[in-house]
């Protein structure tokens, strides 16, 4: 998306976000966690904490990139780069990380859900990749799930998975955004239908579920909003000023958010959560 369009949308978002929703003022606990050092990471659009490797974070680039992702340590240094076999990277916009209940192995999900023409693609895809047990650059196979919205194609940049139920959700990026739920059981042999289950903030750029499933977060260019699984608002959390705020996830312990941005050598910030939204 062009810089001029982004600035216009950002101003509109800022105006529209002045609502009666309870706000949480970021305190001195907000800190820059690291900066991506790898020159190959130019448009960090998705962010996730490794479910099995301590201190490891995953990211991927936005559109016009190969189907690849990166494992990064707590100082922003790339530990490994992975190509995803059998995948396309039409417009990767988000990712999520979960654990297999049966084996405890990590699972990474990559969402090829961007559609800047709001209907250019007849369907969208999410790729499921088993998290590598060894952080060494290689090619990994993927399982592809195709999706279609029940109420028509649209642009989206948010992906989240409820760790309690395993259900996948896509969050659309629109002036009247929505949260869409996938079927309980995903199938590879046919297109899975996404159905609207809740509203989302204007121009949402990412989303994530808390590690314990007690809440989820949706972010925009300026702020993030916390929700109960029912869709009821908990609080708004101001975000640090970023060049192009694109990614968000929870820390492994669920007490803070990690917020990232596109651009070369982009930073990742740690933003504490209000007490009422942290695990007890």
């Amino acid at each position: 998306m062009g810089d001029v369009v982004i600035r216009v949308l950002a101003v509109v978002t800022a105006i529209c976000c002045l609502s009666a929703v309870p706000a949480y003022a970021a305190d001195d606990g907000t800190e820059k966690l690291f900066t991506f050092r790898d020159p190959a990471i130019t448009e960090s659009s998705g962010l996730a904490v490794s479910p099995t490797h301590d201190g490891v974070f995953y990211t991927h680039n936005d559109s016009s990139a190969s189907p690849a992702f990166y494992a990064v340590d707590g100082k922003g240094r790339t530990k490994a780069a992975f190509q995803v076999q059998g995948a396309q990277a039409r417009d990767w916009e988000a990712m999520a990380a979960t654990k297999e209940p049966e084996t405890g192995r990590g699972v990474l999900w990559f969402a090829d859900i961007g559609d800047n023409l709001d209907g250019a693609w007849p369907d969208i895809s999410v790729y499921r990749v088993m998290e590598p047990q060894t952080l060494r650059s290689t090619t990994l196979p993927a399982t592809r799930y195709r999706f279609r919205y029940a109420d028509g194609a649209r642009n989206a940049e948010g992906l989240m998975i409820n760790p309690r139920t395993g259900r996948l959700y896509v969050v659309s990026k629109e002036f009247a955004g929505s949260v869409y739920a996938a079927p309980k059981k995903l199938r590879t042999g046919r297109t899975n239908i996404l159905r609207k289950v809740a509203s989302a903030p204007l121009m949402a750029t990412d989303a994530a579920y808390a590690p314990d499933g007690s809440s989820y977060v949706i972010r925009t260019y300026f702020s993030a909003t916390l929700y109960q699984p029912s869709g009821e608002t908990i609080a708004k959390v101001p975000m640090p000023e970023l060049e192009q705020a694109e990614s968000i996830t929870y820390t492994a312990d669920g007490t803070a958010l990690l917020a990232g941005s596109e651009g070369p050598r982009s930073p990742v910030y740690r933003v504490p959560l209000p007490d009422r939204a942290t695990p007890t």
Side-chain angles (χ1 to χ4, degrees), residues 9-67:
L9 293 176
V11 172
V12 174
T13 303
I15 294 172
C16 293
C17 283
L18 297 175
S19 65
V21 177
Y24 162 68
D27 59 19
D28 293 338
T30 296
E31 60 177 343
K32 184 193 290 186
L33 193 61
F34 61 81
T35 297
F36 290 115
R37 301 187 183 186
D38 193 335
I41 303 174
T42 57
E43 292 185 289
S44 174
S45 189
L47 185 65
V49 176
S50 169
T52 63
H53 299 291
D54 290 340
V56 171
F57 310 87
Y58 292 108
T59 191
H60 62 81
N61 285 320
D62 201 337
S63 57
S64 302
S66 64

Side-chain angles (χ1 to χ4, degrees), residues 96-101 107 109 128 145 147 159-169 181-186 209 213:
T98 58
K99 271 189 179 182
E100 269 192 338
V107 181
W109 304 79
R128 183 182 188 271
Y145 297 100
F147 296 89
L159 174 77
M160 56 187 185
I161 298 176
N162 187 327
R164 293 179 178 175
T165 65
R167 193 161 220 170
L168 181 149
Y169 298 85
K184 290 182 180 179
K185 181 176 178 58
L186 299 180
Y209 245 100

Side-chain angles (χ1 to χ4, degrees), residues 23-145:
Y24 162 68
D27 59 19
D28 293 338
T30 296
E31 60 177 343
K32 184 193 290 186
L33 193 61
F34 61 81
T35 297
F36 290 115
R37 301 187 183 186
D38 193 335
I41 303 174
T42 57
E43 292 185 289
S44 174
S45 189
L47 185 65
V49 176
S50 169
T52 63
H53 299 291
D54 290 340
V56 171
F57 310 87
Y58 292 108
T59 191
H60 62 81
N61 285 320
D62 201 337
S63 57
S64 302
S66 64
F69 66 96
Y70 305 85
V72 178
D73 67 17
K75 294 186 177 181
R77 300 172 299 197
T78 296
K79 297 177 69 68
F82 302 95
Q83 293 291 319
V84 181
Q85 185 178 32
Q88 292 179 300
R90 204 165 51 187
D91 194 353
W92 282 21
E93 288 289 357
M95 69 173 297
T98 58
K99 271 189 179 182
E100 269 192 338
E102 304 83 8
T103 66
R105 284 197 61 185
V107 181
L108 305 179
W109 304 79
F110 299 94
D112 195 356
I113 57 177
D115 186 348
N116 290 328
L117 297 180
D118 295 320
W121 315 120
D123 57 44
I124 56 175
S125 297
V126 176
Y127 297 96
R128 183 182 188 271
V129 178
M130 296 304 298
E131 183 183 21
Q133 294 178 299
T134 302
L135 297 178
R136 182 175 60 248
S137 297
T138 188
T139 298
L140 300 170
T143 300
R144 182 182 191 178
Y145 297 100

Side-chain angles (χ1 to χ4, degrees), residues 186-226:
L186 299 180
R187 301 184 183 276
T188 57
R190 67 187 187 197
T191 302
N192 300 274
I193 304 301
L194 294 165
R195 302 185 187 280
K196 180 179 176 179
V197 293
S199 296
L202 178 149
M203 304 306 287
T205 60
D206 203 5
Y209 245 100
D212 65 355
S214 62
S215 65
Y216 66 85
V217 62
I218 300 177
R219 77 156 305 160
T220 66
Y221 288 118
F222 281 100
S223 67
T225 305
L226 301 171

